[in-house]
Amino acid sequence: MSAPAAKTRPPADPSADTLAALRARYRSQRQALLDDMQACALPAAPASRLPRAMAALARLADETLAALWQRAGLPGALAAVGGYGRSELFPFSDVDVLVLLPDEAGPSASLDAAVSAFVAACWDVGLEVSHSVRTVAQCLEAARQDITACTAWLEARRVAGDAALLARFEAAFAAQLDPLAFLAAKQLEQRQRHARQQDTPYALEPDCKESPGGLRDLHTIRWVARAAGFGRSWADLARSVATAREARQLARNERLLWLIRARLHLLAGRHEDRLVFERQAAVAAAFGYENRFDARGRLAQRASEQLMRRYYWCAKAVVQLSEILLQVMAQRLRAARETPPPARRINAWFSETDGALDINRDDLYQRHPRAILQTFWLYQSRPEVQSLGARTLRALYNARAAMDGRFRADPANHALFMRMLKAPAGQTHALRLMNRTSVLGRYLWVFRRIVGQMQHDLFHVYTVDQHTLMVLGNMRRFFMPEFAHEYPLCSQLAQGWQRPWVLYVAALFHDIAKGRGGDHCELGAREVRRFCRQMGIRGDDAALAEFLVREHLGMSQVAQKQDVSDPAVIARFAARVQTQRRLAGLYLLTVADIRGTSPKVWNGWKDRLLQDLYHATARHLGGHAASASALAASRQRQALALLPAGGHAAARSLWATLDGSYFTRHSAGEIAWHAQSLLHEGSGAAEGRPVIAARGAPGGEGLQVLVHAPDQPDLFARLCGWFHRAGLSIHDARIHTSRSGWALDTFQISSAHPLAGEADAGEADEQKAATAALIARVQTGLAAALASRAALPAVRLGRQSARVRSFPLTPHVEWQSDDSGQRWRLSVTASDRAGLLYGISRVLAAHGISVELARISTLGERAEDTFLLHSPDLAHASVQMQVEQELIAALQGSPPAKA
């Protein structure tokens, strides 16, 4: 007889009234234990309180199940398995049980009914059991076929019934179990589980049980140790395969994970193992964390960030210890069966065995601390070294005392670290391993402060240390020929770059001061200046590293928030950069930084903006800067070359109605496309009707849309409203009004379909059709919107994400006049949500404010939008204040004061 694990509520027991007393006792005692667990995470609670409470909850389940088993009169034995088998019962964990039947118990309707009645009684009492029903032979067969079943039976513990039957099963199971095969299967299972959990302990919303460094990794160590006979507790492992310090660390980190998991269960009122955003603040409060503020009263670090940093450090230690102990146990088990592979001596300190680097004596790092960095230099520079052996990993984990102030100040270590940065390859490879083994933060003490530092800014999705190493990795790729196709301009600049290690230093330090409060760019510049002095970096190289760290946000801010077609903007940025080398370095760091922020932040539109700014600034620095009028004339000549000769006169006639900013804000190709669309024979423009044209954007991301229509005060808002209702996102808008009173507006919008040219051959036709359908939809929809004379629809902002709700961003509005005092730059920062741009444009339309340029920048779930506005009324502070109040209300979802 066999039944799969089940957790569906069976039919109620007809004699349920006889269970009333048992139900009342179980539920009252369980509630008392849960009340006790509520206080277990408090700062003053003893470390042993939660384990005692979990064990008491398991004993209560034992007593209740034993009573129900006796009442059921079933043959065989009832065993606890899984976490319940370990007596680790969390408030809402599964109560996993095995109904073990004797082999002679064949299938029968009466036995099935008795088992069903027992399970129904469990549910009626309040024990939501997950159960399986098997004979001894069936259990042994399941263990051979299924690693999950094998693991469950490993932890079987008698609750009630035939003790001799369970003992026979345990003996047969132990005789059948192959510890080395079990270890290999659990390692494969662990790798697969880690892959499902983003393969990082630094996930934004980690699962404290399943994520790398979670409880399941600790369970895996115990399971393998138990199967191999190395012990069942951390104290047992300290006498077999672990050091005393490792055992203490395992126990301490397990207690923290227990506390977090128990608190999550209690907060959710159900089985919940994920540290989701909505729960992080409440869990942090239970641990006694409070928000930290800087000297000016600004929020410097949230309580939840402090909790998450503690969690990440814990998870990182668990990952390290898991790797060490599983390797140690594997070596012990293999040594008992086969001759180990020969070790090849590298030098007096190290040997290599089957691709793994091992130290020649256990106390190497205590005797020679300089050998610590040598470990990573060999890993970086010797192709045959693919990993670190268990002996080396353990020695590094236990060598933290050797990495003291003298170690960090040792000139020999400085020289070796710089040698690693200056090597032809392997920097990312080595530094990531240094961080994973906690050596990088011990050597660069300033780096230690950002390890596990979360960034709740709605667009970074990695901790600061992980982001930093991703930026370094991106920078390295620019210098690798095999990746030249990814970012051609970056690769082109990298090929002509002398001393690329300066860029690696800048990447390593660009966010080094995050989480301290204050301007992390200025603070980081001080840190990299100190590093350069310590490492002997002098002159232009030190000045460049400091400049790049201080200015690493500047290029993206100018590109995405200012009008880079304005020669004055380019002149100011060129004065800030000063040299071509600084410009190239800043461009490389900016691209690497944005790419390492989040998979959702980088796109082709940002790439184009940055390239335009780079090229314009390079021309200015090279002495080839053109005035606005000269640039406009040049663009017209280039556009004419793209047009048929018969259209030149009509194009010139059209261009005569437009001012110079139109030509400086558009490329020659765009100007030619506009002219072709507006001057096409039979077009609406010739007949005084609006013209709407669209095409795939260069680069294949989204569409470029042209709207030529009689100007009206709410035109921009009306167009934004239609794009919002159509579910399309605007990335850029450029607004022009001709001398004849017609608006010539262009938009860059996002599309769900890439152009056919970017797709595989088999998908090209389908994507081409999707692009054509989107173009037709845009043209038809916008034409209907322009024809409507109805009032602008009300703004209905979309729902905020869980992350935004948990880490709200206060909307911010900033005004700045241009040099002429005729135009105003409006900067808006808010949590991104559908309808945001339409809400802003509706407020501006209500005040008759003309929009000349709109830059819509979405950084994850953070919107940073910039508008170039024109209105004589904005010169009055009272008008600015009124508009600002209405904008804040619109950003928060409140109706504006004016319709």
Side-chain angles (χ1 to χ4, degrees):
M1 175 183 292
S2 176
K7 201 171 181 185
T8 54
R9 183 179 176 90
D13 188 341
S15 58
D17 58 323
T18 63
L19 303 176
L22 191 57
R23 180 191 307 117
R25 186 183 69 182
Y26 171 75
R27 293 186 176 180
S28 65
Q29 292 184 9
R30 180 177 183 275
Q31 187 57 53
L33 290 171
L34 295 186
D35 291 343
D36 184 55
M37 282 186 174
Q38 288 280 3
C40 288
L42 297 177
S48 60
R49 186 168 179 176
L50 180 60
R52 289 200 304 266
M54 291 194 301
L57 198 57
R59 285 195 301 272
L60 176 61
D62 288 353
E63 295 165 3
T64 307
L65 285 169
L68 292 169
W69 180 265
Q70 184 177 10
R71 176 179 177 275
L74 286 166
L78 178 68
V81 295
Y84 177 37
R86 297 188 300 272
S87 294
E88 296 172 8
L89 206 53
F90 289 86
F92 293 94
S93 352
D94 297 337
V95 180
D96 296 323
V97 296
L98 166 66
V99 177
L100 184 65
L101 300 176
D103 288 334
E104 58 271 19
S108 73
S110 61
L111 186 57
D112 287 347
V115 171
S116 296
F118 166 71
V119 175
C122 293
W123 278 78
D124 286 341
V125 165
L127 279 164
E128 299 179 3
V129 296
S130 293
H131 69 286
S132 60
V133 184
R134 288 186 171 92
T135 64
V136 172
Q138 289 169 342
C139 283
L140 295 176
E141 178 60 26
R144 283 190 289 269
Q145 301 296 327
D146 182 2
I147 188 63
T148 302
C150 182
T151 306
W153 307 157
L154 186 68
E155 296 184 306
R157 175 177 60 82
R158 178 182 173 274
V159 174
D162 189 343
L165 175 66
L166 186 60
R168 287 198 302 275
F169 161 66
E170 288 174 340
F173 175 76
Q176 171 183 292
L177 183 63
D178 180 343
L180 191 57
F182 180 77
L183 182 149
K186 296 310 290 185
Q187 285 182 311
L188 174 61
E189 181 185 69
Q190 184 182 67
R191 288 194 296 272
Q192 293 171 337
R193 173 170 50 81
H194 286 184
R196 290 193 299 272
Q197 298 290 331
Q198 305 177 47
D199 212 17
T200 175
Y202 299 108
L204 286 175
E205 297 180 301
D207 187 311
C208 67
K209 181 180 176 184
E210 300 290 339
S211 288
L215 284 166
R216 190 61 85 203
D217 282 0
L218 294 173
H219 299 160
T220 300
I221 297 171
R222 284 192 171 185
W223 289 329
V224 173
R226 186 167 182 168
F230 293 128
R232 299 188 174 196
S233 67
W234 302 131
D236 291 341
L237 265 64
R239 293 186 288 270
S240 57
V241 293
T243 67
R245 180 174 181 271
E246 290 165 356
R248 288 194 302 271
Q249 291 290 320
L250 288 164
R252 188 182 74 175
N253 290 315
E254 182 180 56
R255 283 194 299 270
L256 175 62
L257 294 171
W258 276 351
L259 287 168
I260 290 173
R261 190 181 186 207
R263 179 57 60 179
L264 285 171
H265 280 213
L266 293 168
L267 285 169
R270 57 182 171 79
H271 189 135
E272 174 61 85
D273 295 333
R274 289 185 66 85
L275 264 166
V276 295
F277 296 128
E278 294 95 328
R279 309 282 182 208
Q280 289 176 9
V283 175
F287 277 79
Y289 291 113
E290 297 179 347
N291 290 342
R292 292 176 179 170
F293 298 88
D294 62 19
R296 298 182 180 180
R298 297 173 300 187
L299 181 63
Q301 191 176 47
R302 298 176 187 272
S304 57
E305 291 176 320
Q306 298 168 56
L307 168 75
M308 294 310 296
R309 188 177 192 197
R310 184 176 176 187
Y311 169 83
Y312 292 137
W313 278 66
C314 165
K316 182 179 180 181
V318 170
V319 167
Q320 290 177 257
L321 291 168
S322 172
E323 185 177 10
I324 292 168
L325 292 177
L326 291 179
Q327 279 200 44
V328 168
M329 289 188 281
Q331 288 177 356
R332 295 272 187 94
L333 292 171
R334 291 193 186 100
R337 298 190 185 186
E338 57 193 36
T339 303
R344 289 177 285 275
R345 192 178 181 88
I346 294 176
N347 55 35
W349 289 348
F350 297 98
S351 297
E352 176 265 323
T353 305
D354 196 25
L357 182 68
D358 261 324
I359 53 178
N360 292 335
R361 53 183 299 163
D362 292 335
D363 62 351
L364 171 65
Y365 297 138
Q366 281 73 28
R367 294 169 63 90
H368 303 286
R370 290 177 177 176
I372 295 173
L373 288 191
Q374 282 284 344
T375 304
F376 299 95
W377 169 244
L378 293 174
Y379 176 73
Q380 177 180 357
S381 60
R382 297 184 73 98
E384 71 274 19
V385 175
Q386 298 297 312
S387 63
L388 302 186
R391 193 177 184 187
T392 305
L393 288 170
R394 165 168 282 161
L396 287 172
Y397 188 82
N398 292 287
R400 300 183 186 198
M403 291 182 277
D404 55 13
R406 287 178 298 176
F407 170 81
R408 289 186 284 275
D410 188 341
N413 286 336
H414 297 339
L416 184 54
F417 189 72
M418 289 305 300
R419 187 180 182 188
M420 293 169 68
L421 290 179
K422 293 178 179 180
Q427 287 83 0
T428 309
H429 197 55
L431 291 176
R432 280 181 175 161
L433 184 61
M434 286 179 69
N435 189 42
R436 186 158 58 89
T437 54
S438 301
V439 172
L440 185 56
R442 291 277 171 174
Y443 175 64
L444 288 179
W445 198 250
V446 66
F447 190 89
R448 189 171 188 267
R449 298 179 65 172
I450 61 171
V451 173
Q453 175 66 46
M454 196 60 238
Q455 305 178 81
H456 289 307
D457 50 20
L458 302 185
F459 59 94
H460 280 91
V461 298
Y462 309 106
T463 54
V464 183
D465 59 321
Q466 294 298 300
H467 164 71
T468 296
L469 294 177
M470 290 185 74
V471 173
L472 177 65
N474 292 337
M475 188 71 80
R476 275 289 305 136
R477 288 169 78 95
F478 298 152
F479 288 87
M480 301 168 72
E482 59 266 37
F483 298 112
H485 63 285
E486 292 184 344
Y487 297 92
L489 178 57
C490 291
S491 297
Q492 176 186 336
L493 295 175
Q495 295 314 306
W497 189 272
Q498 300 295 318
R499 301 185 298 282
W501 56 267
V502 179
L503 297 176
Y504 307 155
V505 170
L508 196 58
F509 277 81
H510 81 285
D511 274 352
I512 205 76
K514 279 283 185 74
R516 298 189 194 178
D519 185 348
H520 80 279
C521 299
E522 284 294 335
L523 295 173
R526 295 179 201 169
E527 294 291 355
V528 78
R529 184 165 65 244
R530 185 178 297 115
F531 173 83
C532 288
R533 283 200 303 266
Q534 188 178 42
M535 296 292 166
I537 303 172
R538 300 284 187 266
D540 290 343
D541 291 335
L544 177 60
E546 183 178 344
F547 166 81
L548 293 176
V549 172
R550 178 180 290 110
E551 298 290 339
H552 74 272
L553 298 178
M555 193 167 195
S556 62
Q557 289 173 346
V558 172
Q560 297 179 49
K561 296 186 177 184
Q562 297 190 38
D563 183 3
V564 296
S565 65
D566 185 346
V569 171
I570 300 301
R572 285 195 299 270
F573 184 65
R576 187 170 164 186
V577 174
Q578 296 182 352
T579 70
Q580 294 279 7
R581 188 169 190 244
R582 284 186 170 190
L583 174 64
L586 188 56
Y587 176 77
L588 292 171
L589 181 57
T590 301
V591 175
D593 189 16
I594 297 176
R595 285 186 62 207
T597 297
S598 163
K600 299 179 181 180
V601 168
W602 180 260
N603 57 39
W605 180 242
K606 289 187 175 69
D607 187 17
R608 178 182 170 185
L609 291 175
L610 286 170
Q611 287 197 42
D612 288 348
L613 177 57
Y614 170 81
H615 288 303
T617 309
R619 287 193 297 270
H620 190 283
L621 291 172
H624 302 292
S627 66
S629 58
L631 182 59
S634 173
R635 294 274 169 83
Q636 291 183 43
R637 288 194 299 272
Q638 294 170 26
L640 284 174
L642 300 173
L643 290 170
H648 286 195
R652 287 193 179 96
S653 178
L654 169 67
W655 294 341
T657 69
L658 297 167
D659 61 26
S661 65
Y662 166 79
F663 301 98
T664 59
R665 288 178 183 161
H666 294 281
S667 68
E670 291 169 342
I671 294 168
W673 173 60
H674 297 167
Q676 286 178 315
S677 300
L678 296 178
L679 301 176
H680 189 272
E681 184 178 355
S683 74
E687 303 171 7
R689 291 186 290 107
V691 172
I692 299 162
R695 67 173 184 174
E701 292 191 12
L703 298 182
Q704 286 184 333
V705 178
L706 167 67
V707 177
H708 187 246
D711 194 24
Q712 59 189 73
D714 63 356
L715 180 62
F716 180 68
R718 195 169 292 278
L719 296 174
C720 289
W722 184 85
F723 284 126
H724 164 53
R725 293 190 298 276
L728 300 171
S729 297
I730 300 173
H731 296 292
D732 184 79
R734 305 180 189 193
I735 314 302
H736 303 280
T737 304
S738 70
R739 296 183 180 91
S740 58
W742 280 62
L744 197 160
D745 299 346
T746 58
F747 297 86
Q748 172 90 15
I749 66 170
S750 65
S751 167
H753 305 283
L755 289 182
E758 285 200 334
D760 295 336
E763 301 175 348
D765 290 341
E766 180 181 346
Q767 292 185 352
K768 189 178 295 183
T771 301
L774 179 61
I775 289 173
R777 179 184 170 210
V778 167
Q779 290 175 324
T780 302
L782 286 178
L786 290 175
S788 173
R789 291 296 175 263
L792 291 174
V795 180
R796 291 183 176 86
L797 295 182
R799 294 186 60 186
Q800 292 179 324
S801 70
R803 190 178 181 194
V804 170
R805 292 195 301 271
S806 300
F807 307 105
L809 177 65
T810 302
H812 179 71
V813 174
E814 182 179 349
W815 300 93
Q816 184 178 355
S817 64
D818 68 359
D819 294 338
S820 67
Q822 300 300 311
R823 297 182 300 177
W824 294 82
R825 191 174 78 195
L826 169 67
S827 299
V828 175
T829 303
S831 303
D832 189 37
R833 56 202 296 194
L836 195 69
L837 178 58
Y838 175 52
I840 295 170
S841 65
R842 197 169 182 269
V843 171
L844 298 177
H847 287 272
I849 298 173
S850 299
V851 179
E852 294 188 10
L853 182 69
R855 284 281 165 79
I856 313 306
S857 179
T858 304
L859 305 172
E861 294 172 278
R862 177 189 179 104
E864 294 186 357
D865 302 343
T866 305
F867 306 86
L868 192 63
L869 308 176
H870 175 71
S871 172
D873 293 340
L874 287 177
H876 303 291
S878 59
V879 174
Q880 281 191 27
M881 185 176 298
Q882 177 65 29
V883 174
E884 182 172 332
Q885 290 173 350
E886 293 180 24
L887 285 172
I888 294 293
L891 297 171
Q892 294 174 332
S894 305
K898 294 184 179 182

